[in-house]
Amino acid sequence: MKYNSTTDKNIVVSASQAIAQGISTDGGLFVPQEIPQYSLSDIENLTKLDYVGRAKKILGDYLDDFTAEEIDECVTKAYTAEKFGSNDPSPLSYQKYGDIDMNILELWHGPTSAFKDMALQILPHLLTKSLKKTSSGKEAVILVATSGDTGKAALEGFKDVDGTKIMVFYPVDGVSPMQKRQMTTQEGSNVSVCAIRGNFDDAQTGVKKIFTNKELVAKLEEKNYIFSSANSINWGRLLPQIVYYFSAYSELVNDGKIKLGDKINIVVPTGNFGNILASYYAFRMGLPINKFICASNSNNVLTDFIATGTYDKNRSFYPTISPSMDILVSSNLERFLYHMTECDDKKVKEWMTQLKTKGAYTVDENVKEKITSLFAGGFCDDDSTTKTIGEFFNEYGYLCDTHTAVAVKVYKDYVEQTNDRTPVIIDSTASPYKFSSSVLKAIAKDDELPDDEFEMVELLNKKSNVSVPKPLAALKNKETRFTAVVDSDEMPQYVLKTLGVE
Ligand SMILES: *Cc1c(COP(=O)(O)O)cnc(C)c1O
């Protein structure tokens, strides 16, 4: 199977090239030329496998220049019980909120307590194998822009991986104290972490600019380095996320919640549009999905896009209590538009150019209609997020983080407006302990709140009886290793300096 660039179909690469490069030379994103098709009996076969088995089947169908042994090695090394707490890295938790059934897909049982681990525990294996196939001997420099969770998950996935160096850029005031601590204390000999004066979009644009800076790329090539990406612009990030949608569906069937072939709804707290796009690929492969419900926080550019067909990032940016979704340029929407226009690379290029030059574009009426028939969008501000966490916990006994609460509230609104009771999967994307302060505020009294992050963790544990993820508890006694702060236009110099290249 080959991959094309979203903005130039004449660019054709293999799976391993797509993963090794991360982004196409023309600035477009790699998309599969064909989408594997699963019948109901294929899905029935998946229900009989464990997570590792499901992942091997799905990854194998997309990565046809990997051998079965290679896929096997990648998957079994990534999804261990040691790293994810059990053989099911993404357990479902069946909850009720009033009379609404909430089947919560907990995607945060990995080493960094956010759903990013689901892809970033396997990406280093996929990437090092891809590099061996495509650019023998080169050392990969992984550049990551993060709104908080990707950075830590990527650092943890790539630390001390031979043949790689990883650099993470985060907005200096745009991450939670726990997220910051997770990153600045990162161990490993090949890692570095740098704060950016600006927001996530500035960091992301900075990284994209480095990738497409021909002079810089050439300079590094001379020193035997090649850039790659661990952001969800990399196909190797997106592909592993398809697996948990098939896996969750299989578990719903196995648990008798649905019958094979029944349709489900999917609710995703969305930022860069990666996670929800993975569910769309699952749908295109044959997973019976009725509606995709795209949940945003106050940075509701996607809610407006789904409602109107106009994407307009010229608006206020709000730092919220769900910071991993504080994004105004959702990069993976580009892939979605490519598929929604039947692979019209010229259209996608035109819209992406308008986004760069004017900050806005409007899709054609037929594309808009297609999107609204499949997608519903909704958003939830910080006050409702807090109220939702409080109510879900106090009245119905389930503790969730701020991002998950956005999804829960948007879904609740959706059901109340539509009365669509199709069985649902709601993605839960982070452990509540990653955002202890905001979560505590929702369930405790103001005068109870401690100042210290780790005292908050203790209090949250005492109130909720939900156990604290071990790696988060261990951060308390770790030393800070990284303190650099730079402007986003200084990022190229930071990269050169860190690599010792002049
Ligand atoms: C990254 C992240 C999101 C957003 O996911 P996208 O794939 O970027 O849409 C939501 N919640 C949490 C906790 C995250 O870390």
Side-chain angles (χ1 to χ4, degrees):
M1 184 190 305
K2 299 288 184 198
Y3 291 75
N4 291 124
S5 164
T6 45
T7 45
D8 184 356
K9 270 200 276 197
N10 293 321
I11 297 177
V12 183
V13 301
S14 66
S16 52
Q17 272 176 303
I19 293 173
Q21 266 176 254
I23 187 169
S24 174
T25 44
D26 69 328
L29 307 186
F30 289 119
V31 279
Q33 258 179 0
E34 304 140 54
I35 295 178
Q37 296 299 305
Y38 288 9
S39 65
L40 280 186
S41 83
D42 292 327
I43 298 175
E44 188 173 16
N45 290 337
L46 291 179
T47 64
K48 295 169 191 148
L49 303 174
D50 61 4
Y51 194 91
V52 162
R54 291 165 188 158
K56 279 191 220 169
K57 162 76 179 142
I58 293 167
L59 266 56
D61 287 341
Y62 277 98
L63 306 177
D64 65 356
D65 60 344
F66 282 58
T67 64
E69 291 71 36
E70 286 171 329
I71 301 265
D72 194 298
E73 197 190 319
C74 293
V75 172
T76 47
K77 277 191 178 161
Y79 300 111
T80 62
E82 194 201 341
K83 285 176 173 160
F84 284 88
S86 84
N87 285 331
D88 182 1
S90 59
L92 277 164
S93 174
Y94 298 120
Q95 300 293 331
K96 263 190 176 294
Y97 194 127
D99 73 335
I100 302 176
D101 284 316
M102 304 243 169
N103 307 324
I104 311 261
L105 180 61
E106 294 181 348
L107 298 168
W108 43 263
H109 290 277
T112 76
S113 307
F115 92 94
K116 306 291 199 292
D117 289 326
M118 297 300 296
L120 281 163
Q121 280 299 313
I122 191 165
L123 180 66
H125 301 296
L126 297 173
L127 185 68
T128 45
K129 289 198 165 43
S130 297
L131 284 168
K132 281 213 181 89
K133 289 178 198 291
T134 56
S135 56
S136 51
K138 283 220 168 62
E139 184 160 6
V141 178
I142 318 293
L143 300 183
V144 181
T146 185
S147 55
D149 291 329
T150 297
K152 176 61 184 180
L155 289 162
E156 205 49 44
F158 279 97
K159 77 168 177 214
D160 296 326
V161 171
D162 282 346
T164 70
K165 286 199 168 21
I166 171 158
M167 290 178 208
V168 169
F169 298 94
Y170 70 94
V172 66
D173 296 317
V175 301
S176 83
M178 189 63 95
Q179 289 176 316
K180 188 171 199 160
R181 209 165 156 71
Q182 279 187 309
M183 290 189 281
T184 56
T185 59
Q186 177 66 42
E187 291 163 1
S189 58
N190 62 339
V191 305
S192 53
V193 175
C194 178
I196 299 296
R197 288 182 203 95
N199 59 32
F200 170 71
D201 292 316
D202 299 321
Q204 177 158 266
T205 307
V207 164
K208 253 191 149 181
K209 271 191 192 150
I210 296 176
F211 280 130
T212 46
N213 180 332
K214 294 215 169 71
E215 207 183 319
L216 195 66
V217 170
K219 220 178 210 174
L220 288 203
E221 242 162 44
E222 267 173 40
K223 304 277 175 185
N224 214 28
Y225 288 121
I226 175 173
F227 280 130
S228 192
S229 162
N231 278 100
S232 54
I233 52 177
N234 193 319
W235 177 249
R237 256 293 290 285
L238 210 51
L239 172 60
Q241 297 185 266
I242 299 174
V243 177
Y244 51 74
Y245 290 104
F246 279 99
S247 190
Y249 187 90
S250 300
E251 292 306 314
L252 286 177
V253 171
N254 290 343
D255 291 342
K257 299 278 172 186
I258 58 170
K259 290 195 304 297
L260 186 73
D262 284 353
K263 287 189 174 180
I264 58 169
N265 285 345
I266 302 276
V267 188
V268 186
T270 297
N272 230 347
F273 210 76
N275 201 1
I276 197 165
L277 183 69
S279 72
Y280 174 75
Y281 278 111
F283 165 72
R284 289 286 303 268
M285 291 167 71
L287 195 69
I289 296 176
N290 170 53
K291 270 269 177 217
F292 301 86
I293 299 158
C294 177
S296 303
N297 62 25
S298 292
N299 297 296
N300 56 0
V301 59
L302 287 167
T303 315
D304 289 347
F305 173 66
I306 290 165
T308 64
T310 296
Y311 193 97
D312 186 356
K313 70 161 187 144
N314 303 309
R315 58 177 71 215
S316 306
F317 175 86
Y318 302 104
T320 72
I321 57 172
S322 45
S324 303
M325 296 153 65
D326 289 347
I327 292 174
L328 292 182
V329 182
S330 298
S331 9
N332 268 298
L333 201 60
E334 181 170 337
R335 285 192 167 104
F336 181 58
L337 293 173
Y338 183 80
H339 294 298
M340 280 283 147
T341 55
E342 314 296 333
C343 314
D344 190 338
D345 54 346
K346 302 217 166 44
K347 269 268 148 66
V348 174
K349 186 165 179 107
E350 188 186 315
W351 292 334
M352 291 305 117
T353 305
Q354 287 172 3
L355 182 63
K356 266 190 212 114
T357 54
K358 292 188 236 152
Y361 60 88
T362 299
V363 299
D364 302 345
E365 191 56 33
N366 67 325
V367 173
K368 191 209 147 203
E369 270 165 29
K370 244 198 251 176
I371 293 173
T372 36
S373 72
L374 277 175
F375 278 69
F379 76 100
C380 166
D381 66 14
D382 279 356
D383 280 348
S384 321
T385 306
T386 304
K387 230 180 110 210
T388 303
I389 295 172
E391 199 171 84
F392 205 5
F393 178 71
N394 292 326
E395 316 239 333
Y396 308 107
Y398 185 75
L399 187 71
C400 71
D401 92 295
T402 47
H403 304 77
T404 308
V406 167
V408 165
K409 175 67 165 82
V410 167
Y411 178 60
K412 190 167 159 277
D413 291 346
Y414 170 82
V415 173
E416 283 162 5
Q417 280 156 22
T418 60
N419 206 27
D420 175 1
R421 298 278 178 159
T422 307
V424 74
I425 289 172
I426 301 173
D427 283 1
S428 174
T429 48
S431 156
Y433 287 103
K434 262 196 124 158
F435 304 94
S436 297
S437 145
S438 304
V439 173
L440 252 189
K441 275 182 197 137
I443 68 162
K445 294 188 199 72
D446 281 350
D447 59 358
E448 283 183 293
L449 293 179
D451 291 329
D452 176 75
E453 185 71 14
F454 293 95
E455 284 173 33
M456 289 188 203
V457 168
E458 267 172 45
L459 180 59
L460 191 55
N461 175 248
K462 217 163 82 194
K463 287 195 165 284
S464 70
N465 273 325
V466 174
S467 52
V468 184
K470 283 195 198 78
L472 289 186
L475 285 179
K476 191 173 170 178
N477 300 316
K478 284 206 171 157
E479 238 170 84
T480 298
R481 292 184 64 201
F482 301 100
T483 52
V485 187
V486 305
D487 288 332
S488 59
D489 59 3
E490 296 167 338
M491 286 165 65
Q493 290 94 298
Y494 175 86
V495 170
L496 290 174
K497 210 178 94 206
T498 308
L499 293 172
V501 177
E502 286 314 315

